[in-house]
């Protein structure tokens, strides 16, 4: 099975993905890192040189590349829900990490690497995307507390549903 983590930038998708994969013995894939390795460029450079539209195509290509792989926890980029057809490529369980906008703003205060946040606020992005996140998600999990608690909650769900 593949487990996809979605949510706003700064919602903890990479931290939780890494810990969750370790906990359940799955491989961890960070979609942004995968794109960077393939393009040999950082995400902000990709945005600068090729623009958001090309980045979204690279994102979809990366999802396609994972289609025949199994037992993965995939931390996606916050905008993976922008393209509706990505949902079809994300076969498995999709978990939305729910974090309050204020907590996100505080977490990202000293982060200058997120190109979209140079032109848009967290609130604007959230308003644009909230329904998308909900339409992609099979499960909502709060990530307001410690990463360990969030991982425990996800593992509990996976066990209850006999998914692992
Ligand atoms: C994006 C979020 C980023 C990265 C890119 C675009 C977005 O990932 O994929 O900068 O559109 O929200 P994070 O969610 O890990 O910041």
């Amino acid at each position: 099975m593949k487990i996809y983590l979605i949510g706003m930038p700064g919602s903890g998708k990479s931290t939780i993905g890494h810990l969750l994969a370790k906990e359940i013995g799955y491989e961890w894939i960070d979609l942004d890192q995968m794109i960077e390795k393939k393009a040999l460029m950082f995400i902000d450079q990709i945005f600068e040189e090729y623009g958001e539209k090309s980045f979204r195509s690279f994102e979809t290509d990366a999802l396609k590349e994972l289609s025949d792989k199994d037992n993965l926890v995939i931390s996606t980029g916050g905008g993976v829900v922008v393209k509706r057809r990505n949902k079809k490529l994300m076969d498995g369980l999709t978990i939305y990490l729910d974090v309050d906008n204020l907590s996100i703003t505080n977490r990202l205060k000293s982060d200058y690497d997120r190109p979209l946040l140079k032109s848009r606020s967290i609130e604007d992005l959230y308003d644009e995307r909230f329904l998308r996140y909900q339409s992609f998600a099979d499960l909502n999990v709060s990530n307001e507390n410690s990463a360990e608690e969030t991982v425990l909650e996800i593992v509990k769900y996976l066990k209850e549903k006999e998914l692992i």
Side-chain angles (χ1 to χ4, degrees):
M1 187 183 54
K2 289 198 269 293
I3 299 172
Y4 295 88
L5 297 177
I6 62 169
M8 290 283 288
S11 59
K13 301 177 297 286
S14 297
T15 307
I16 299 300
H18 185 56
L19 284 175
L20 175 66
K22 220 166 134 193
E23 185 68 28
I24 63 176
Y26 277 28
E27 188 187 338
W28 174 55
I29 304 275
D30 186 285
L31 212 62
D32 278 351
Q33 279 178 17
M34 198 176 150
I35 295 165
E36 288 181 330
K37 276 189 199 147
K38 219 170 163 203
L40 295 177
M41 289 167 107
F42 291 115
I43 300 292
D44 56 338
Q45 294 176 304
I46 298 177
F47 268 75
E48 244 167 63
E49 265 192 48
Y50 300 111
E52 182 177 350
K53 206 167 166 216
S54 298
F55 173 76
R56 298 293 167 216
S57 312
F58 297 156
E59 206 168 34
T60 300
D61 291 345
L63 287 174
K64 282 185 189 155
E65 247 181 73
L66 297 174
S67 65
D68 55 359
K69 303 217 165 105
D70 205 9
N71 294 352
L72 303 179
V73 174
I74 301 157
S75 302
T76 63
V80 78
V81 297
V82 167
K83 261 168 98 177
R84 244 175 243 216
R85 71 190 128 107
N86 284 343
K87 184 171 170 19
K88 277 209 185 99
L89 296 170
M90 293 165 63
D91 58 319
L93 183 79
T94 299
I95 302 174
Y96 171 67
L97 291 183
D98 195 3
V99 178
D100 186 77
N101 283 345
L102 193 63
S103 312
I104 287 184
T105 307
N106 285 331
R107 284 183 196 180
L108 295 183
K109 245 182 198 150
S110 54
D111 191 319
Y112 301 104
D113 286 339
R114 286 169 162 95
L116 276 187
L117 296 180
K118 287 180 186 145
S119 56
R120 270 179 272 176
S121 70
I122 288 288
E123 284 77 15
D124 287 346
L125 273 189
Y126 180 79
D127 287 345
E128 277 168 33
R129 293 177 178 173
F130 173 71
L131 285 176
R132 291 287 175 91
Y133 286 133
Q134 289 309 308
S135 88
F136 272 57
D138 301 304
L139 175 70
N140 285 347
V141 173
S142 163
N143 190 30
E144 286 288 350
N145 300 317
S146 74
E148 287 72 21
E149 277 175 76
T150 305
V151 170
L152 268 182
E153 193 181 330
I154 296 173
V155 171
K156 190 169 157 238
Y157 175 88
L158 295 171
K159 286 186 177 155
E160 268 169 18
K161 297 282 173 197
E162 298 183 357
L163 294 169
I164 53 168

